[in-house]
Coordinates of all heavy atoms in Angstrom, one line a residue:
A13 N -32.9 -0.2 44.4 CA -34.3 -0.3 44.1 C -35.1 0.7 44.9 O -36.1 1.3 44.3 CB -34.8 -1.7 44.6
R14 N -34.8 1.1 46.1 CA -35.5 2.1 46.8 C -35.3 3.5 46.1 O -36.3 4.2 46.0 CB -34.9 2.2 48.3 CG -35.6 1.2 49.2 CD -35.2 1.5 50.7 NE -33.8 1.4 51.0 CZ -33.2 0.2 51.2 NH1 -33.9 -0.9 51.1 NH2 -31.9 0.2 51.5
L16 N -34.7 4.0 42.9 CA -35.5 3.9 41.7 C -37.0 4.1 42.0 O -37.7 4.7 41.2 CB -35.2 2.6 41.0 CG -33.8 2.5 40.4 CD1 -33.6 1.1 39.8 CD2 -33.6 3.5 39.3
R17 N -37.5 3.5 43.1 CA -38.9 3.7 43.4 C -39.3 5.2 43.7 O -40.3 5.6 43.3 CB -39.3 2.8 44.6 CG -39.6 1.4 44.3 CD -40.2 0.6 45.5 NE -39.3 0.4 46.6 CZ -38.5 -0.5 46.7 NH1 -38.3 -1.5 45.8 NH2 -37.7 -0.6 47.8
R18 N -38.3 5.9 44.3 CA -38.5 7.3 44.6 C -38.4 8.2 43.3 O -38.9 9.3 43.3 CB -37.5 7.8 45.7 CG -37.9 7.3 47.1 CD -37.1 8.1 48.1 NE -35.6 7.9 48.0 CZ -34.9 7.0 48.6 NH1 -35.5 6.1 49.4 NH2 -33.6 6.9 48.4
N19 N -37.7 7.6 42.3 CA -37.4 8.4 41.1 C -38.0 7.8 39.9 O -37.3 7.8 38.8 CB -35.9 8.6 41.0 CG -35.4 9.4 42.2 OD1 -35.7 10.6 42.3 ND2 -34.5 8.8 43.0
M20 N -39.2 7.3 39.9 CA -39.8 6.6 38.8 C -40.0 7.6 37.7 O -40.2 8.8 37.9 CB -41.1 6.0 39.2 CG -41.0 4.8 40.1 SD -42.5 3.9 40.4 CE -43.8 4.9 40.1
T21 N -39.9 7.1 36.4 CA -40.2 8.0 35.3 C -41.7 8.3 35.2 O -42.5 7.7 35.9 CB -39.8 7.3 34.0 OG1 -40.6 6.2 33.7 CG2 -38.3 6.8 34.0
K22 N -42.0 9.3 34.4 CA -43.4 9.7 34.2 C -44.2 8.5 33.8 O -45.4 8.3 34.3 CB -43.5 10.9 33.2 CG -44.8 11.5 33.0 CD -44.7 12.8 32.2 CE -43.7 12.7 31.1 NZ -43.7 13.8 30.2
E23 N -43.7 7.7 32.9 CA -44.4 6.6 32.3 C -44.6 5.5 33.4 O -45.6 4.8 33.5 CB -43.8 6.1 31.1 CG -43.8 7.0 29.9 CD -42.8 8.1 30.0 OE1 -41.8 8.0 30.8 OE2 -42.9 9.1 29.3
E24 N -43.5 5.3 34.2 CA -43.6 4.3 35.2 C -44.7 4.7 36.3 O -45.5 3.8 36.7 CB -42.3 4.1 35.9 CG -41.2 3.3 35.1 CD -39.9 3.4 35.7 OE1 -39.5 4.3 36.5 OE2 -39.1 2.5 35.4
K25 N -44.7 6.0 36.6 CA -45.7 6.4 37.6 C -47.1 6.3 37.0 O -48.0 5.8 37.7 CB -45.5 7.9 37.9 CG -44.3 8.2 38.8 CD -44.1 9.7 38.9 CE -42.9 10.0 39.8 NZ -42.6 11.5 39.9
H26 N -47.3 6.6 35.8 CA -48.6 6.4 35.1 C -49.1 5.0 35.2 O -50.2 4.7 35.6 CB -48.5 6.9 33.7 CG -49.8 6.9 32.9 ND1 -51.1 7.0 33.5 CD2 -50.0 6.8 31.6 CE1 -52.0 7.0 32.6 NE2 -51.4 6.8 31.4
L27 N -48.2 4.0 34.8 CA -48.6 2.6 34.8 C -48.8 2.1 36.2 O -49.8 1.4 36.4 CB -47.5 1.8 34.1 CG -47.8 0.3 33.8 CD1 -49.1 0.2 33.0 CD2 -46.7 -0.4 33.2
W28 N -48.0 2.5 37.1 CA -48.1 2.1 38.5 C -49.4 2.6 39.2 O -50.2 1.9 39.6 CB -46.9 2.5 39.3 CG -47.0 2.1 40.8 CD1 -47.2 3.0 41.8 CD2 -47.1 0.8 41.3 NE1 -47.3 2.3 43.0 CE2 -47.2 0.9 42.7 CE3 -47.0 -0.5 40.8 CZ2 -47.3 -0.2 43.6 CZ3 -47.1 -1.6 41.6 CH2 -47.2 -1.4 43.0
Y29 N -49.5 4.0 39.2 CA -50.6 4.6 40.0 C -52.0 4.4 39.3 O -53.0 4.4 40.0 CB -50.3 6.0 40.3 CG -49.2 6.2 41.3 CD1 -48.0 6.7 40.9 CD2 -49.5 5.8 42.6 CE1 -47.0 6.8 41.9 CE2 -48.5 6.0 43.6 CZ -47.2 6.4 43.2 OH -46.2 6.5 44.1
D30 N -52.0 4.4 37.9 CA -53.2 4.3 37.2 C -53.7 2.9 36.8 O -54.7 2.7 36.2 CB -53.2 5.2 36.0 CG -53.0 6.7 36.4 OD1 -53.5 7.1 37.5 OD2 -52.3 7.4 35.7
F31 N -52.8 1.9 37.1 CA -53.2 0.5 36.7 C -52.7 -0.5 37.7 O -53.4 -1.2 38.4 CB -52.8 0.2 35.3 CG -53.2 -1.1 34.9 CD1 -54.6 -1.5 34.8 CD2 -52.3 -2.1 34.6 CE1 -54.9 -2.8 34.5 CE2 -52.6 -3.4 34.2 CZ -54.0 -3.7 34.2
L32 N -51.4 -0.7 37.7 CA -50.8 -1.9 38.4 C -51.0 -1.9 39.9 O -51.2 -3.0 40.5 CB -49.3 -2.0 38.1 CG -48.9 -2.3 36.6 CD1 -47.4 -2.3 36.4 CD2 -49.5 -3.6 36.1
K33 N -51.0 -0.8 40.5 CA -51.2 -0.7 41.9 C -52.5 -1.2 42.3 O -52.7 -1.7 43.4 CB -51.0 0.8 42.4 CG -51.0 0.9 43.9 CD -50.7 2.3 44.3 CE -50.7 2.4 45.9 NZ -50.4 3.8 46.3
K34 N -53.5 -1.0 41.4 CA -54.9 -1.4 41.7 C -55.3 -2.7 41.0 O -56.5 -3.0 41.0 CB -55.8 -0.3 41.3 CG -55.6 1.1 42.0 CD -56.5 2.2 41.5 CE -55.7 3.1 40.6 NZ -56.4 4.2 40.1
A35 N -54.4 -3.3 40.3 CA -54.7 -4.5 39.5 C -55.3 -5.6 40.4 O -55.0 -5.6 41.6 CB -53.5 -5.0 38.8
P36 N -56.0 -6.5 39.8 CA -56.6 -7.6 40.6 C -55.5 -8.6 41.1 O -55.9 -9.5 41.9 CB -57.6 -8.3 39.7 CG -57.2 -7.8 38.3 CD -56.5 -6.6 38.5
V37 N -54.3 -8.5 40.7 CA -53.2 -9.3 41.2 C -52.1 -8.4 41.7 O -52.1 -7.3 41.2 CB -52.6 -10.3 40.1 CG1 -53.6 -11.3 39.7 CG2 -52.1 -9.5 38.9
Q38 N -51.3 -8.9 42.6 CA -50.3 -8.0 43.2 C -49.1 -7.8 42.3 O -48.5 -8.8 41.9 CB -49.9 -8.5 44.6 CG -49.0 -7.5 45.3 CD -48.6 -8.0 46.7 OE1 -48.5 -9.2 46.9 NE2 -48.4 -7.0 47.6
F39 N -48.7 -6.6 42.1 CA -47.5 -6.2 41.4 C -46.6 -5.5 42.4 O -47.1 -4.8 43.3 CB -47.7 -5.3 40.2 CG -48.2 -6.0 39.0 CD1 -49.5 -6.3 38.8 CD2 -47.3 -6.4 38.0 CE1 -49.9 -6.9 37.6 CE2 -47.7 -7.0 36.9 CZ -49.0 -7.3 36.7
H40 N -45.3 -5.6 42.2 CA -44.3 -4.9 43.0 C -43.6 -4.0 42.0 O -43.3 -4.4 40.9 CB -43.3 -5.8 43.7 CG -44.0 -6.8 44.6 ND1 -44.2 -6.4 45.9 CD2 -44.4 -8.0 44.5 CE1 -44.8 -7.4 46.5 NE2 -45.0 -8.4 45.7
R41 N -43.1 -2.8 42.5 CA -42.4 -2.0 41.6 C -40.9 -1.9 42.0 O -40.6 -2.1 43.2 CB -43.0 -0.6 41.6 CG -43.0 0.1 42.9 CD -43.8 1.4 42.9 NE -44.0 1.8 44.2 CZ -43.8 3.1 44.7 NH1 -43.3 4.0 43.8 NH2 -43.9 3.4 45.9
Q42 N -40.1 -1.8 41.0 CA -38.6 -1.8 41.2 C -38.2 -3.0 42.1 O -37.6 -2.8 43.2 CB -38.2 -0.4 41.8 CG -38.6 0.7 40.9 CD -38.1 0.7 39.5 OE1 -37.1 0.0 39.2 NE2 -38.8 1.3 38.5
K43 N -38.5 -4.2 41.7 CA -38.3 -5.4 42.5 C -37.0 -6.0 42.2 O -36.7 -6.4 41.1 CB -39.5 -6.4 42.2 CG -39.4 -7.7 42.9 CD -39.7 -7.5 44.4 CE -39.7 -8.9 45.0 NZ -39.7 -8.8 46.5
P44 N -36.1 -6.1 43.2 CA -34.9 -6.9 43.0 C -35.1 -8.3 42.7 O -36.0 -9.0 43.3 CB -34.1 -6.7 44.3 CG -34.7 -5.5 45.0 CD -36.2 -5.5 44.5
L50 N -36.3 -5.3 38.5 CA -37.4 -5.3 37.5 C -38.3 -4.1 37.7 O -38.6 -3.7 38.8 CB -38.2 -6.6 37.7 CG -37.5 -7.9 37.8 CD1 -38.4 -9.0 38.0 CD2 -36.7 -8.1 36.5
D51 N -38.7 -3.4 36.6 CA -39.6 -2.3 36.7 C -40.8 -2.7 37.5 O -41.2 -2.0 38.5 CB -39.9 -1.7 35.4 CG -38.8 -1.0 34.7 OD1 -37.8 -0.7 35.3 OD2 -38.9 -0.8 33.4
F52 N -41.5 -3.8 37.1 CA -42.7 -4.2 37.8 C -42.6 -5.8 37.8 O -42.2 -6.4 36.8 CB -43.9 -3.7 37.1 CG -44.0 -2.2 37.1 CD1 -43.7 -1.6 35.9 CD2 -44.4 -1.5 38.2 CE1 -43.7 -0.2 35.8 CE2 -44.4 -0.1 38.1 CZ -44.1 0.5 36.9
F53 N -43.1 -6.4 38.8 CA -43.1 -7.9 38.9 C -44.3 -8.4 39.6 O -44.8 -7.9 40.6 CB -41.9 -8.3 39.8 CG -41.8 -9.7 40.0 CD1 -41.6 -10.6 39.0 CD2 -41.8 -10.2 41.3 CE1 -41.5 -12.0 39.2 CE2 -41.7 -11.6 41.6 CZ -41.5 -12.5 40.5
C54 N -44.9 -9.4 38.9 CA -46.1 -10.1 39.4 C -45.6 -11.5 39.8 O -45.4 -12.3 38.9 CB -47.2 -10.1 38.4 SG -48.7 -11.1 39.0
A55 N -45.5 -11.8 41.1 CA -45.0 -13.1 41.5 C -46.0 -14.2 41.1 O -45.6 -15.3 40.7 CB -44.7 -13.1 43.0
I59 N -44.3 -12.8 36.0 CA -44.2 -11.9 34.9 C -43.4 -10.6 35.4 O -43.7 -10.1 36.4 CB -45.6 -11.4 34.4 CG1 -46.2 -12.6 33.6 CG2 -45.5 -10.2 33.5 CD1 -47.6 -12.3 33.1
A60 N -42.5 -10.2 34.5 CA -41.8 -9.0 34.7 C -42.3 -8.0 33.6 O -42.3 -8.4 32.4 CB -40.3 -9.2 34.6
V61 N -42.6 -6.8 34.0 CA -43.0 -5.8 33.0 C -41.9 -4.7 33.0 O -41.6 -4.1 34.1 CB -44.4 -5.1 33.4 CG1 -44.7 -4.0 32.5 CG2 -45.5 -6.2 33.5
E62 N -41.4 -4.5 31.8 CA -40.3 -3.5 31.7 C -40.7 -2.4 30.7 O -41.3 -2.7 29.7 CB -39.0 -4.2 31.1 CG -38.4 -5.3 32.0 CD -37.8 -4.6 33.2 OE1 -37.1 -3.6 33.1 OE2 -38.0 -5.1 34.3
L63 N -40.5 -1.2 31.2 CA -40.7 0.0 30.3 C -39.4 0.5 29.8 O -38.5 0.7 30.5 CB -41.4 1.1 31.1 CG -42.8 0.8 31.7 CD1 -43.4 2.1 32.3 CD2 -43.7 0.2 30.7
Y94 N -42.6 -2.9 27.0 CA -43.4 -1.8 26.4 C -42.5 -0.6 26.4 O -41.7 -0.3 27.3 CB -44.6 -1.5 27.2 CG -45.5 -2.8 27.4 CD1 -45.4 -3.5 28.6 CD2 -46.4 -3.2 26.5 CE1 -46.1 -4.7 28.8 CE2 -47.1 -4.3 26.6 CZ -47.0 -5.1 27.8 OH -47.7 -6.2 27.9
T95 N -42.6 0.2 25.3 CA -41.9 1.4 25.2 C -42.6 2.5 26.0 O -43.9 2.5 26.2 CB -41.7 1.9 23.8 OG1 -43.0 2.2 23.2 CG2 -41.0 0.8 22.9
N96 N -41.9 3.5 26.4 CA -42.5 4.7 27.0 C -43.6 5.3 26.1 O -44.6 5.7 26.5 CB -41.5 5.7 27.4 CG -40.6 5.3 28.6 OD1 -41.0 4.5 29.4 ND2 -39.5 5.9 28.7
E98 N -45.4 3.7 23.9 CA -46.7 2.9 24.0 C -47.5 3.3 25.2 O -48.7 3.3 25.1 CB -46.3 1.4 24.0 CG -45.8 0.9 22.7 CD -45.4 -0.6 22.9 OE1 -44.4 -0.9 23.5 OE2 -46.1 -1.4 22.3
V99 N -46.8 3.5 26.4 CA -47.6 3.8 27.6 C -48.3 5.2 27.4 O -49.4 5.4 27.8 CB -46.6 3.8 28.8 CG1 -47.3 4.4 30.0 CG2 -46.1 2.4 29.1
K100 N -47.6 6.1 26.7 CA -48.2 7.4 26.5 C -49.3 7.4 25.5 O -50.3 8.1 25.7 CB -47.1 8.4 26.0 CG -46.1 8.9 27.0 CD -45.2 9.9 26.3 CE -43.8 9.7 26.7 NZ -42.8 10.6 26.1
F103 N -52.2 3.5 26.4 CA -52.2 3.1 27.8 C -53.2 1.9 28.0 O -52.8 0.9 28.6 CB -52.5 4.2 28.7 CG -52.4 3.9 30.1 CD1 -51.2 3.7 30.8 CD2 -53.6 3.7 30.9 CE1 -51.1 3.3 32.1 CE2 -53.5 3.4 32.2 CZ -52.3 3.2 32.8
E104 N -54.4 2.0 27.5 CA -55.4 1.0 27.7 C -55.0 -0.3 27.0 O -55.2 -1.4 27.6 CB -56.7 1.4 27.2 CG -57.4 2.5 28.1 CD -58.7 2.9 27.7 OE1 -59.4 2.2 26.8 OE2 -59.2 4.0 28.1
V106 N -51.8 -1.3 26.5 CA -50.8 -1.9 27.3 C -51.4 -2.6 28.5 O -51.0 -3.7 28.8 CB -49.8 -0.8 27.7 CG1 -48.8 -1.3 28.8 CG2 -49.0 -0.3 26.5
C107 N -52.3 -2.0 29.2 CA -52.9 -2.6 30.4 C -53.7 -3.9 30.0 O -53.5 -4.9 30.7 CB -53.9 -1.6 31.0 SG -53.1 -0.1 31.7
I110 N -51.0 -6.6 29.3 CA -50.5 -7.1 30.6 C -51.4 -8.1 31.2 O -51.1 -9.2 31.6 CB -50.1 -6.0 31.6 CG1 -49.0 -5.2 31.0 CG2 -49.8 -6.5 33.0 CD1 -48.7 -3.9 31.8
M111 N -52.7 -7.7 31.4 CA -53.7 -8.6 32.0 C -53.9 -9.9 31.2 O -54.2 -10.9 31.8 CB -55.0 -7.9 32.3 CG -54.9 -6.9 33.4 SD -54.1 -7.5 35.0 CE -55.2 -8.8 35.4
V114 N -51.1 -12.0 32.3 CA -51.3 -12.4 33.7 C -52.3 -13.6 33.8 O -52.1 -14.6 34.4 CB -51.7 -11.2 34.6 CG1 -52.2 -11.7 35.9 CG2 -50.5 -10.3 34.7

Side-chain angles (χ1 to χ4, degrees):
R14 277 191 295 280
L16 291 173
R17 279 191 291 275
R18 284 193 300 267
N19 296 296
M20 293 188 336
T21 67
K22 185 171 37 172
E23 294 79 16
E24 287 171 336
K25 287 178 184 177
H26 182 30
L27 188 59
W28 175 249
Y29 288 110
D30 297 329
F31 180 63
L32 295 177
K33 185 176 181 180
K34 302 176 255 182
V37 294
Q38 186 175 33
F39 278 86
H40 300 275
R41 59 191 171 128
Q42 305 303 333
K43 177 71 174 168
L50 308 177
D51 288 343
F52 302 101
F53 176 62
C54 177
I59 289 177
V61 177
E62 294 293 314
L63 297 189
Y94 303 96
T95 65
N96 287 339
E98 286 176 293
V99 172
K100 286 185 221 177
F103 183 73
E104 288 182 18
V106 168
C107 297
I110 291 169
M111 286 311 300
V114 166

